[in-house]
Amino acid sequence: MTERIFDDAPLLGRATANIVSLAPCPQGFCALLDRTIFFPRGGGQPCDEGTLDGVPVLDVYEQEGEIRHILADKPRKTEGALCEIRLENRLDHMQSHTGQHIISAAAWQLFRNPTLIARIERPACHIEFAAPMDEEQLAQLWRRANQIVAQALPVRCRYYTPAQAAAMNVRGNITPHEKIRLVEIQGFDLNACGGSHCPDTSMVGPLRWYGAKEVRGAFRLYFLAGNRAARHSLDQDLQSLALGALAQAESPQDSLRRTEDLYRRANQLEQETRRLRLLLLEATEENLLAEALARPGTPVVCRLLEDWELREAKTLCENLIRRRPMLVLLALRRQGALTVMACQRKGMDKLPVNQWLQPFWAKHGGKGGGSSVSAQGSVADTPQAQEDFAQLSRRMTEALTELETAQ
């Protein structure tokens, strides 16, 4: 069996090993070593990243008692090959995995809330608990977990037979194996686990909550440990300073109060904006209808609108043709696009508007579609597109007038 150097030297980043087996595989080559510092993936923890004899290691996993190293290419030598891992990743895994043990054990001891699954992921790791926890419980759990970190309790990983493990006070279930790996946080927790762990709890660093939600009937708690928690704390401090500068506040409490005030004002302004836009819609509708009815023949509305929402323009079209049979042709200038729409009342459509608009969209590299009753499409907002829209409006109005005269 491969000697598992990482069990006794978790922070060793370089070591030599002999390749005892090398075979092609779909990803490249599969290597078995006489000894390894590469931790295999499993139990919610990713494998280590690094190189073997300078060749990138793509994956490491344990199967049938063998630790298999998947290599991107064939290594140059099989004896004394240098193994190198990214210690930054190893430390992150150690801090996160040991932190998960501390949090899970504290949740069980405080609330008899068992852990269902745990995952080391980015940006945050998570634990799923059987029962939800309220704000007061989460605060209590945070205090207890960080208290254990501060105590610098030794962490030991040892192997036992199934019979030996069954006789011990182990938290959680034990998956049957020839040998059971138990992780002990001295005087605090004993748990069966295959992950990498810190030598003592102080190396875990600060533990912070990142978020929480209900998932499939379980309570998922997102957390950060060690360096991740420290970076997140710095990011939050910088964000708090930036927010304070925007709000012209001198403290986080003042920033929160001013932000809440601004949020309330924003809601009020949004409601007032909706009211004013409704009045604008009604006034525009009346003005366009009056202008159209003042001209002889079938009423026609042709207008270029600035910064109108598409939904409001559609409502304007519908309202106008509902009140009087007419042709409505609108162009909306918004965020660099010119959206052109045309509509008529069903059963009283005299011009096939989709056929009229297709050449306009094609000329300006846009897209659109519709029917003889209504059509809509968008092109880039350019002076030429605006001029062509005005010409199109005149031609459609003249064509409609000629049709009525002929009838």
Side-chain angles (χ1 to χ4, degrees):
M1 294 181 63
T2 303
E3 179 187 350
R4 305 162 70 97
I5 301 175
F6 48 75
D7 278 336
D8 298 318
L11 291 176
L12 183 64
R14 293 162 58 96
T16 57
N18 299 323
I19 300 176
V20 298
S21 172
L22 185 66
C25 66
Q27 301 95 328
F29 291 86
C30 177
L32 302 182
L33 312 182
D34 63 345
R35 60 202 297 263
T36 186
I37 58 174
F38 281 90
F39 211 101
R41 59 177 161 86
Q45 176 178 312
C47 68
D48 284 322
E49 298 177 7
T51 59
L52 175 62
D53 192 35
V55 177
V57 177
L58 305 178
D59 193 10
V60 185
Y61 61 92
E62 191 166 0
Q63 185 173 319
E64 298 175 352
E66 299 175 337
I67 297 180
R68 303 185 179 187
H69 304 70
I70 306 302
L71 310 180
D73 202 352
K74 188 175 182 179
R76 292 166 296 179
K77 58 184 180 181
T78 58
E79 293 187 2
L82 179 63
C83 301
E84 292 186 284
I85 64 169
R86 289 185 58 193
L87 276 177
E88 182 183 356
N89 274 25
R90 166 65 68 81
L91 179 60
D92 176 75
H93 295 166
M94 292 167 60
Q95 290 177 327
S96 298
H97 213 133
T98 311
Q100 179 263 308
H101 278 235
I102 294 171
I103 297 166
S104 292
W108 175 250
Q109 293 172 14
L110 291 171
F111 315 120
R112 284 298 183 262
N113 195 352
T115 291
L116 304 179
I117 62 171
R119 294 284 184 270
I120 296 177
E121 297 176 337
R122 290 190 180 276
C125 307
H126 71 259
I127 306 169
E128 290 185 10
F129 293 97
M133 287 180 277
D134 58 27
E135 187 174 327
E136 182 178 343
Q137 289 175 314
L138 289 173
Q140 190 176 351
L141 179 63
W142 178 86
R143 286 191 292 269
R144 179 55 176 159
N146 280 286
Q147 182 183 59
I148 295 300
V149 170
Q151 290 177 7
L153 302 178
V155 180
R156 299 186 181 90
C157 302
R158 296 193 176 105
Y159 290 87
Y160 299 88
T161 66
Q164 289 173 325
M168 303 172 76
N169 185 24
V170 179
R171 174 179 58 83
N173 298 323
I174 298 178
T175 303
H177 285 290
E178 184 179 347
K179 287 187 176 181
I180 308 299
R181 185 173 186 262
L182 297 183
V183 178
E184 178 188 13
I185 301 176
Q186 183 175 299
F188 176 68
D189 184 51
L190 184 65
N191 183 244
C193 178
S196 57
H197 296 276
C198 299
D200 68 71
T201 59
S202 67
M203 190 178 289
V204 172
L207 290 168
R208 297 195 62 176
W209 300 158
Y210 189 82
K213 66 178 181 179
E214 300 246 355
V215 179
R216 302 181 303 275
F219 180 76
R220 179 179 291 182
L221 176 64
Y222 293 91
F223 73 94
L224 302 171
N227 293 339
R228 284 202 212 186
R231 285 192 296 268
H232 182 66
S233 179
L234 174 61
D235 288 343
Q236 285 201 322
D237 286 346
L238 293 175
Q239 290 169 11
S240 179
L241 290 173
L243 180 61
L246 287 173
Q248 297 183 336
E250 297 180 355
S251 68
Q253 294 79 9
D254 194 24
S255 291
L256 177 60
R257 180 184 61 78
R258 295 194 180 195
T259 301
E260 288 173 343
D261 290 342
L262 289 171
Y263 184 75
R264 282 191 293 269
R265 287 180 57 194
N267 282 337
Q268 293 169 357
L269 290 173
E270 186 177 349
Q271 293 175 10
E272 180 64 12
T273 300
R274 283 198 297 266
R275 186 184 71 83
L276 293 174
R277 293 195 74 89
L278 180 59
L279 292 176
L280 174 63
L281 175 62
E282 294 173 350
T284 304
E285 178 186 328
E286 294 299 330
N287 289 338
L288 292 178
L289 181 61
E291 290 177 10
L293 293 177
R295 294 189 292 267
T298 300
V300 178
V301 168
C302 302
R303 186 59 59 94
L304 178 67
L305 301 174
E306 299 278 354
D307 291 322
W308 272 58
E309 297 284 350
L310 182 59
R311 134 182 93 76
E312 294 173 338
K314 286 182 176 180
T315 300
L316 179 60
C317 278
E318 292 167 0
N319 290 349
L320 286 169
I321 64 171
R322 176 178 50 80
R323 296 177 65 177
R324 287 292 300 267
M326 64 170 61
L327 170 66
V328 180
L329 187 62
L330 300 178
L332 281 65
R333 295 188 64 206
R334 185 175 177 83
Q335 297 178 346
L338 188 70
T339 300
V340 176
M341 63 176 62
C343 60
Q344 301 173 91
R345 185 183 294 186
K346 190 174 182 179
M348 304 187 72
D349 45 305
K350 299 179 180 181
L351 289 180
V353 293
N354 186 43
Q355 294 180 23
W356 277 85
L357 293 181
Q358 285 292 347
F360 172 81
W361 295 322
K363 177 180 178 180
H364 295 281
K367 293 183 179 180
S371 65
S372 62
V373 176
S374 64
Q376 177 186 313
S378 294
V379 300
D381 182 14
T382 64
Q384 185 61 55
Q386 295 175 38
E387 181 179 338
D388 288 347
F389 168 74
Q391 293 179 2
L392 177 63
S393 301
R394 288 192 293 270
R395 290 200 305 269
M396 291 182 72
T397 302
E398 291 168 357
L400 184 60
T401 302
E402 290 175 3
L403 283 174
E404 291 180 338
T405 302
Q407 293 174 356

